[in-house]
Amino acid sequence: MPRQEAKQMTIAIIGTGNIGAGLARVFSSAGHDVVLANANDSTEAAEKLGVRAASVSEAVKTADTVILATPYDAAQSIAQAADFTGKVVIDVSNPVTADFSGLQLGQTSSAAEEIAHLLPGATVVKAFNTVFAQHYAGDLTLEGRKIQTFVAADNDTTRRAVVALANSVGFEVVESGPLSNARYLEALGYMNIQFGFMLNRGTGIAPIWLG
């Protein structure tokens, strides 16, 4: 199936680790204008990827969509670093504990919902949290089929826009209802981490929803 067309967007990616760099690569390769930022200087990382570098505040100001590709614990400082009013913010994090023994949040809230509280003027979406960084170096397929990403948001229009954005880079998207369902998506992301590292399956895996 051909990729669903999404309008060209300016996307600010906050975080220059493996996930942030991987997302920058796939979105810029799909024709989107990517601005890379982190708490320090993102110039070197941006130059390696062929994208623009900026401070967090500058990147957010110029972007249509902001992707938080940082650990959940960085959310509060990021919220204070820029004005997110009117922005679509995609949270990629899984709120794992420092020793990876479990999740900090679960039954009654999620990282995405807490970030929404920190950014009351933004529309927060949960997506891409079940995808290992190594997949971004390939074509986002595994064993002959597209890797899935799960998208949860309270605003239907925003959810559809993020679905189109994910489709534009080659994902198969599973629409996953309201933002509160991030509680279950983050648990799924943590189970993926368990399979990959604690149960020795490696990072060449991904969850899939059939039917």
Side-chain angles (χ1 to χ4, degrees):
M1 181 182 296
R3 293 180 182 179
Q4 181 175 335
E5 293 297 324
K7 69 175 184 177
Q8 193 266 355
M9 291 186 179
T10 298
I11 302 171
I13 298 177
I14 302 176
T16 56
N18 291 337
I19 292 289
L23 287 166
R25 188 191 72 81
V26 296
F27 281 114
S28 62
S29 295
H32 298 288
D33 179 25
V34 173
V35 186
L36 195 63
N38 63 18
N40 301 306
D41 186 0
S42 61
T43 302
E44 183 178 353
E47 286 178 349
K48 288 180 180 179
L49 294 162
V51 301
R52 293 189 290 133
S55 67
V56 172
S57 61
E58 291 169 343
V60 172
K61 183 178 181 179
T62 61
D64 304 304
T65 298
V66 180
I67 299 177
L68 301 183
T70 57
Y72 168 63
D73 289 341
Q76 188 162 6
S77 62
I78 291 170
Q80 297 169 348
D83 181 5
F84 288 84
T85 303
K87 304 297 181 180
V88 173
V89 176
I90 302 173
D91 169 41
V92 181
S93 69
N94 292 305
V96 295
T97 57
D99 62 0
F100 278 74
S101 63
L103 294 174
Q104 300 177 48
L105 301 163
Q107 296 295 316
T108 60
S109 190
S110 63
E113 290 169 280
E114 294 303 308
I115 289 169
H117 292 316
L118 291 171
L119 305 175
T123 303
V124 176
V125 181
K126 191 75 188 186
F128 310 125
N129 71 298
T130 59
V131 183
F132 280 126
Q134 288 78 359
H135 291 303
Y136 293 120
D139 61 358
L140 293 178
T141 65
L142 186 60
E143 296 183 358
R145 66 172 298 157
K146 292 181 179 182
I147 291 172
Q148 291 184 344
T149 188
F150 303 83
V151 177
D154 288 333
N155 183 285
D156 291 340
T157 300
T158 301
R159 188 189 310 113
R160 287 193 294 269
V162 174
V163 167
L165 185 64
N167 280 332
S168 78
V169 298
F171 280 110
E172 177 183 339
V173 182
V174 180
E175 293 198 46
S176 304
L179 192 64
S180 60
N181 283 346
R183 302 170 195 181
Y184 316 119
L185 298 182
E186 290 168 9
L188 180 61
Y190 179 66
M191 192 67 236
N192 200 41
I193 292 168
Q194 283 283 317
F195 277 129
F197 295 105
M198 286 67 172
L199 300 175
N200 301 315
R201 296 281 296 273
T203 58
I205 60 174
I208 185 170
W209 191 270
L210 297 176

